[in-house]
């Protein structure tokens, strides 16, 4: 199959790698891809938010499946443009991508579909913000309505910081004040062709920059899968109470959701609550979930894109575990330093079970330099989490990037 993968992160590198593992060979092109992806497949430079351009390219090149990785092209309507020219696309139309593009809209859908979520107030003035903050009390949770590259949410006990955050975003649209939810977080990816829903294996993401969940929120500093501590029947429960009602509600509105519904969940004492929906694969969770996928990713995503999800076999996952540790540049997330050489990658790759997904790297002679905040995901696979952790951190010891940092506690709670 001829497949176009859209995006340039470690997530897309992991998607490409999973496609290459298929027993049937595919012709894969990535746009724009990155330096790591360019090592394994062809990359083309295209403006990935330009729907007509992408649609033209895909139609001309005879692409049989487009996989859209990031949220921005989805929210910009790139999937709509592809569907309009008859190219199968994995990823929702603009109207359905609003589940990620607008937190206010996501709340509206969740409440209409009776999906359990935190109580929230949508505020359009600072006065309303302050009243809502005082109603819910500390810790305060303030969320920008639209896409904010992982920076839109603040969780803080500092009321002034909560107000400042709201003030920064309120000029762009409503701000959501939400009750604080306490508990373990779970990311569950659910495929849907607009009707059928099929879960992938659950993962946990580490959002805070530093060990012990300290420091600012980031795009994600690490992940692991599966989650051995989940109660039995958890995935079925989420399918029944979250995924199916949401997918039905989107169809009822005439905006069916086709692609991956990322359910961001918190397990509170009072039960599971949705904290966010995303309309795409998560990063870095994808690196660990797809590492364990034994089924053909291309078959699953094509079936999703073409309304045949109910007819393909359920995905099979390895009993191996996987963890990913993100290597971040000095100063990430606030102001990452870039342009630094990355040394030791070949030695790191010698560690058994280890692979590396590139996120923000560029070729520099024989080696690579950093070009952004989250530089690499070091992914380790093993029979248990103790071994996986040893492998990942041994590989990280062999990588040198001046000033860089990574969390040392990924999956630690499972081992303890
Ligand atoms: P979101 O972009 O909505 O996923 O929020 C980013 C992160 O903020 C989440 O992964 C949680 O760690 C945290 N968060 C979001 N909403 C809440 C909430 N209501 N209570 C506690 N933490 C939250
Ligand atoms: N790992 C969080 C996200 O992809 O949004």
């Amino acid at each position: 199959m001829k497949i176009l993968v859209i995006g340039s992160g470690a997530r897309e590198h992991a998607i490409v790698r999973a496609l290459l593992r298929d027993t049937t060979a595919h012709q894969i092109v990535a746009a724009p891809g990155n330096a790591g992806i360019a090592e394994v497949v062809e990359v083309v430079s295209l403006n990935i938010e330009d729907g007509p351009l992408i649609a033209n390219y895909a139609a001309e090149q005879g692409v049989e499946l487009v996989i859209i990785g990031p949220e921005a092209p989805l929210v910009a309507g790139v999937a709509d443009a592809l569907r309009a020219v008859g190219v199968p696309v994995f990823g929702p139309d603009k109207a359905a991508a609003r589940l990620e593009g607008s937190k206010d809209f996501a709340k509206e859908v969740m409440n209409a579909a009776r999906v359990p979520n935190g109580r929230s107030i949508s505020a359009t003035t600072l006065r309303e913000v302050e009243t809502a903050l005082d109603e819910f009390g500390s810790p305060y949770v303030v969320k920008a309505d639209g896409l904010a590259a992982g920076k839109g949410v603040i969780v803080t006990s500092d009321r002034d910081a909560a107000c400042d955050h709201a003030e920064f975003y309120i000029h762009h649209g409503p701000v959501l004040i939400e009750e604080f939810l306490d508990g373990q977080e779970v990311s569950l990816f659910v495929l849907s062709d607009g009707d059928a829903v099929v879960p992938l294996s659950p993962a946990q993401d580490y959002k805070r920059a530093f060990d012990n969940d300290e420091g600012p929120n980031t795009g994600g500093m690490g992940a692991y899968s599966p989650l051995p501590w989940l109660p039995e029947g958890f995935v079925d429960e989420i399918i029944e109470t979250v995924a199916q009602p949401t997918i039905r509600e989107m169809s009822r509105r005439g905006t069916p959701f086709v692609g991956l519904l990322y359910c961001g969940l918190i397990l509170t004492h009072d039960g599971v609550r949705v904290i966010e929906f995303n309309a795409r694969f998560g990063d870095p969770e994808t690196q660990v979930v797809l590492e364990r996928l034994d089924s053909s990713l291309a078959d699953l995503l094509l079936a999703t894109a073409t309304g045949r999800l109910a007819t393909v076999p359920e995905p099979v996952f390895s009993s191996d575990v996987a963890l990913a540790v993100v290597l971040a540049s000095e100063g990430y997330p606030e102001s990452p330093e870039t342009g630094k050489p990355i040394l030791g990658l070949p030695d790191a790759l010698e560690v058994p079970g280890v692979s590396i997904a590139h996120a923000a790297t560029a070729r520099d002679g024989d080696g690579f330099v950093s070009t952004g905040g989250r530089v690499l995901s070091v992914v380790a696979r093993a029979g248990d989490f103790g071994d996986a952790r040893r492998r990942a951190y041994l590989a990280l010891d062999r990588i040198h990037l001046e000033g860089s940092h990574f969390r040392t506690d990924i999956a630690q709670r499972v081992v303890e």
Side-chain angles (χ1 to χ4, degrees), residues 103 118 141 143 153 155 178-182 185 205 207-208 217 266 275-276 278:
K103 302 237 185 231
V141 180
K143 302 185 172 186
V153 177
V155 181
E178 195 170 36
E179 69 172 315
F180 176 77
L181 300 167
D182 194 21
E185 286 185 39
D205 178 21
K207 289 253 161 69
R208 300 283 187 142
N217 263 330
I266 290 196
I275 43 168
E276 65 163 342
N278 292 321

Side-chain angles (χ1 to χ4, degrees), residues 11 100 187 205 207 218-220 262 276 278 280-285 374:
R11 165 184 52 209
E100 173 164 2
S187 304
D205 178 21
K207 289 253 161 69
T218 69
Y262 166 138
E276 65 163 342
N278 292 321
R280 46 151 181 98
F281 278 105
D283 188 343
E285 296 97 314
R374 294 194 293 173

Side-chain angles (χ1 to χ4, degrees), residues 1-3 16-28 295-299:
M1 191 167 22
K2 181 147 189 179
I3 306 173
V16 165
R17 189 176 287 136
L19 294 169
L20 289 171
R21 275 205 315 265
D22 247 12
T23 42
T24 354
H26 302 295
Q27 193 187 339
I28 302 167
S295 312
S296 158
L297 181 65
D299 288 353

Side-chain angles (χ1 to χ4, degrees), residues 21 201-204 223-229 285-294 317-324 352-355 378-392 410-412 414-415:
R21 275 205 315 265
S201 188
Q204 186 169 52
Y224 66 94
S225 173
L227 310 183
W229 44 266
E285 296 97 314
T286 300
Q287 289 85 303
V288 292
V289 171
L290 295 188
E291 178 67 37
R292 301 181 47 243
L293 177 70
D294 280 341
F317 287 89
S318 165
S319 60
D320 277 358
V321 308
L323 78 87
V354 164
S355 56
V378 172
V379 182
R381 175 183 182 137
D384 63 59
F385 282 108
D387 274 343
R389 275 176 51 80
R390 275 186 288 278
R391 288 172 174 192
I410 307 302
Q412 192 169 357
V414 194
V415 179

Side-chain angles (χ1 to χ4, degrees), residues 128-279:
E128 286 170 13
V129 168
E130 297 208 34
T131 311
L133 289 176
D134 293 334
E135 185 172 331
F136 291 130
S138 172
Y140 305 105
V141 180
V142 181
K143 302 185 172 186
D145 183 60
L147 295 184
K151 293 185 184 151
V153 177
I154 191 173
V155 181
T156 177
S157 49
D158 179 344
R159 194 172 176 282
D160 289 340
C163 287
D164 288 350
H165 187 80
E167 191 174 2
F168 183 81
Y169 284 105
I170 207 153
H171 311 291
H172 306 287
V175 165
L176 215 71
I177 315 300
E178 195 170 36
E179 69 172 315
F180 176 77
L181 300 167
D182 194 21
Q184 287 296 323
E185 286 185 39
V186 176
S187 304
L188 183 69
F189 297 168
V190 178
L191 304 178
S192 180
D193 59 7
D195 183 25
V197 295
V198 170
L200 302 184
S201 188
Q204 186 169 52
D205 178 21
Y206 289 71
K207 289 253 161 69
R208 300 283 187 142
F210 309 121
D211 281 7
N212 304 314
D213 291 332
E214 283 171 18
N217 263 330
T218 69
M221 293 296 292
Y224 66 94
S225 173
L227 310 183
W229 44 266
L230 278 179
E232 215 181 296
F234 176 84
V235 170
D236 291 342
E237 180 196 329
I238 300 306
I239 289 297
E240 242 168 70
T241 61
V242 175
Q244 270 166 349
T246 302
I247 293 299
R248 270 200 300 269
E249 175 65 17
M250 293 304 286
S251 289
R252 195 189 63 74
R253 289 168 179 245
T255 52
F257 185 97
V258 176
L260 189 146
L261 182 66
Y262 166 138
C263 304
L265 310 161
I266 290 196
L267 278 65
T268 75
H269 284 302
D270 305 321
V272 179
R273 300 281 184 276
V274 176
I275 43 168
E276 65 163 342
F277 282 138
N278 292 321

Side-chain angles (χ1 to χ4, degrees), residues 46-71:
L46 295 173
N47 174 2
I48 63 166
E49 289 178 39
D50 185 338
L53 177 87
I54 300 284
N56 251 334
Y57 174 86
E60 266 174 21
Q61 299 289 319
V63 170
E64 295 163 273
L65 173 65
V66 179
I67 301 168
I68 301 181
E71 59 276 19

